[in-house]
Amino acid sequence: MSSPEPVLAAGCVLWRPSPSGHGIEIALVHRPKWDDWSHPKGKRKRGEGAEACALREVREETGQRCELGARLPTVRYPVEGRPKEVDYWAARALGGTFVPGREIDRLLWLPPAAARTRLTRPRDRELLDDFLATAPPPSRRPRDAS
């Protein structure tokens, strides 16, 4: 007996420079159906590539246009007996306007430590940790010592 095909999805750890000028903020979305806080993500449409899906889902869920950065780990977990694979990228927000909807009713921009605390699932906290360790935005890189 063959295992079921995985549900393919994509998303982003969406960030922007903090309006205060110090550090960055991470975007988290609230899904009322699950009453959880997570990174923007969603299922791929037929024939849609992972990168295109990630960009579309960020736009649909947060209203933000974004620029994909470093590839982050793929997250795998079961959903209703089927495997799910979510490809993730770091993504810098380029601007837009959030409009609450049925799937996503709230958007928060938080400093990384507060975002980590607010995330509902351990796998999303691990993804944020991977982002902070492997894909620091330019504003977090150490200054050149020269």
Side-chain angles (χ1 to χ4, degrees), residues 4-129:
E5 285 293 312
V7 174
L8 300 177
C12 294
V13 174
L14 184 66
W15 68 274
R16 69 181 183 189
S18 174
S20 72
H22 301 289
I24 63 169
E25 293 180 329
I26 305 295
L28 301 184
V29 295
H30 181 261
R31 303 182 306 168
K33 177 179 179 181
W34 306 105
D35 190 24
D36 69 354
W37 289 93
S38 67
H39 301 291
K41 67 179 177 303
K43 295 178 193 162
R44 288 167 53 178
K45 294 181 177 181
R46 184 180 308 275
E48 182 178 47
E51 291 178 353
C53 176
L55 291 168
R56 177 181 55 77
E57 286 291 339
V58 165
R59 186 70 179 255
E60 288 177 3
E61 294 191 354
T62 70
Q64 292 286 312
R65 291 174 293 103
C66 68
E67 174 181 55
L68 296 183
R71 183 83 156 73
L72 297 172
T74 297
V75 177
R76 294 172 175 85
Y77 54 95
V79 175
E80 298 173 358
R82 283 187 69 190
K84 185 170 186 176
E85 295 180 5
V86 187
D87 294 319
Y88 280 100
W89 282 265
R92 182 178 178 142
L94 300 176
T97 303
F98 174 68
V99 177
R102 188 175 52 82
E103 284 187 45
I104 304 296
D105 63 351
R106 289 187 278 169
L107 170 69
L108 281 181
W109 289 96
L110 298 169
R116 191 177 195 289
T117 301
R118 181 66 63 107
L119 285 163
T120 303
R121 291 186 169 69
R123 65 177 169 257
D124 287 334
R125 291 191 287 274
E126 290 168 13
L127 188 66
L128 178 59
D129 292 345

Side-chain angles (χ1 to χ4, degrees), residues 142-146:
R143 292 204 185 337
D144 189 349
S146 59

